Amino acid sequence: MSRRSELAAGLAAVQERVAAAARSAGRDPDEITLTVVTKFFPASDVRLLADLGVRDVGENRHQEAMAKAAECADLELRWHYIGGLQSNKAAAVAGYADVVESVDRARLVPGLSRGAAERGRDLDCLVQVSLDPPEQREGRSGVHPDELLALAAAVADAEGLVLRGLMAVAPLGADPEQAFDDLARLAERLRADHPDAGVLSAGMSNDLEAAVARGATHVRIGRAVLGERP
Ligand SMILES: *Cc1c(COP(=O)(O)O)cnc(C)c1O
């Protein structure tokens, strides 16, 4: 099988899963955006995916993301930065990302804001919130839920940054449904302060159904489309 047909098959299977999950939740499948996570895979795969109709791609490592975005600059793609971010790299990420989904501390805000100004356009941002139980939070990304609203306010107030909503990853080894229930409540609370921050990015290859059932507007799928990472 050619790589193109492999990707086409993976993509079709994931689109069908998303549509089925949407239907069983009484939602319109068209309100859910599939972001294909291309990390570790070459720019040639991004190109094939774009040709197959993918518009949103996700990357989690700065050097790799920057190189791929440059190689694929002729394609009409939206680049989602979904990885851990160092504050000294934030401005550089704002130079190519269309959405930064992993804003998890206030220290990132000045760099992102400066990068958006240098690029001369506003940058969409999601605040990444931790769903991990306290004993697992060490070393994982995401702002503590108690600090979510303060961080969201800092993003919303920053020049050049547009607060679009929330991103989260289910806890390791736990039932994602409970975690996504908590996330849905946090998203609702966020919208009380920021009515336009309606994006909810949740759900990966293993748990997209649970996320769609609880209101995800964006799912981030890698392996189920591209195969196991090299
Ligand atoms: C890698 C990654 C994904 C995709 O995970 P899969 O299990 O390959 O679907 C989604 N979100 C984040 C934040 C990631 O780092």
Side-chain angles (χ1 to χ4, degrees):
M1 222 196 320
S2 72
R3 183 60 173 153
R4 190 179 199 282
S5 4
E6 253 172 37
L7 293 176
L11 198 56
V14 167
Q15 283 162 342
E16 187 40 51
R17 281 175 65 191
V18 171
R23 282 192 301 269
S24 46
R27 300 181 60 196
D28 177 356
D30 289 344
E31 59 185 57
I32 298 152
T33 301
L34 169 60
T35 302
V36 179
V37 178
T38 48
K39 64 188 186 197
F40 294 91
F41 288 96
S44 54
D45 279 354
V46 178
R47 222 162 251 292
L48 290 170
L49 288 164
D51 193 48
L52 291 165
V54 169
R55 286 292 160 259
D56 293 86
V57 291
E59 288 285 336
N60 76 335
R61 297 185 300 180
H62 165 55
Q63 294 293 342
E64 179 185 346
M66 187 170 56
K68 263 185 238 174
E71 270 184 80
C72 299
D74 58 311
L75 305 174
E76 283 191 18
L77 291 170
R78 272 174 70 74
W79 292 87
H80 296 242
Y81 190 81
I82 62 173
L85 196 48
Q86 290 171 276
S87 46
N88 62 350
K89 299 282 162 54
V93 169
Y96 59 84
D98 298 291
V99 194
V100 176
E101 298 201 6
S102 43
V103 182
D104 68 354
R105 56 201 191 281
R107 281 186 51 193
L108 298 172
V109 170
L112 291 171
S113 179
R114 193 177 74 248
E118 284 163 3
R119 192 175 176 186
R121 53 180 264 196
D122 285 352
L123 176 65
D124 287 352
C125 293
L126 305 183
V127 169
Q128 182 178 355
V129 65
S130 171
L131 302 176
D132 296 322
E135 66 278 8
Q136 277 181 19
R137 226 162 248 156
E138 189 66 34
R140 298 259 293 163
S141 308
V143 68
H144 188 289
D146 292 347
E147 292 157 22
L148 167 64
L149 294 176
L151 177 56
V155 172
D157 289 346
E159 193 75 37
L161 304 187
V162 184
L163 177 70
R164 292 290 184 198
L166 279 186
M167 186 270 253
V169 175
L172 294 168
D175 175 5
E177 309 204 341
Q178 175 63 52
F180 291 150
D181 275 341
D182 297 343
L183 179 62
R185 272 191 294 277
L186 292 169
E188 192 179 341
R189 179 63 191 86
L190 181 76
R191 283 194 304 271
D193 284 8
H194 304 276
D196 296 329
V199 171
L200 185 53
S201 172
M204 309 183 7
S205 292
N206 287 340
D207 56 22
L208 76 84
E209 284 82 2
V212 168
R214 282 155 191 81
T217 63
H218 288 62
V219 293
R220 307 176 309 272
I221 310 298
R223 289 169 300 140
V225 173
L226 290 126
E228 289 304 321
R229 286 183 270 280

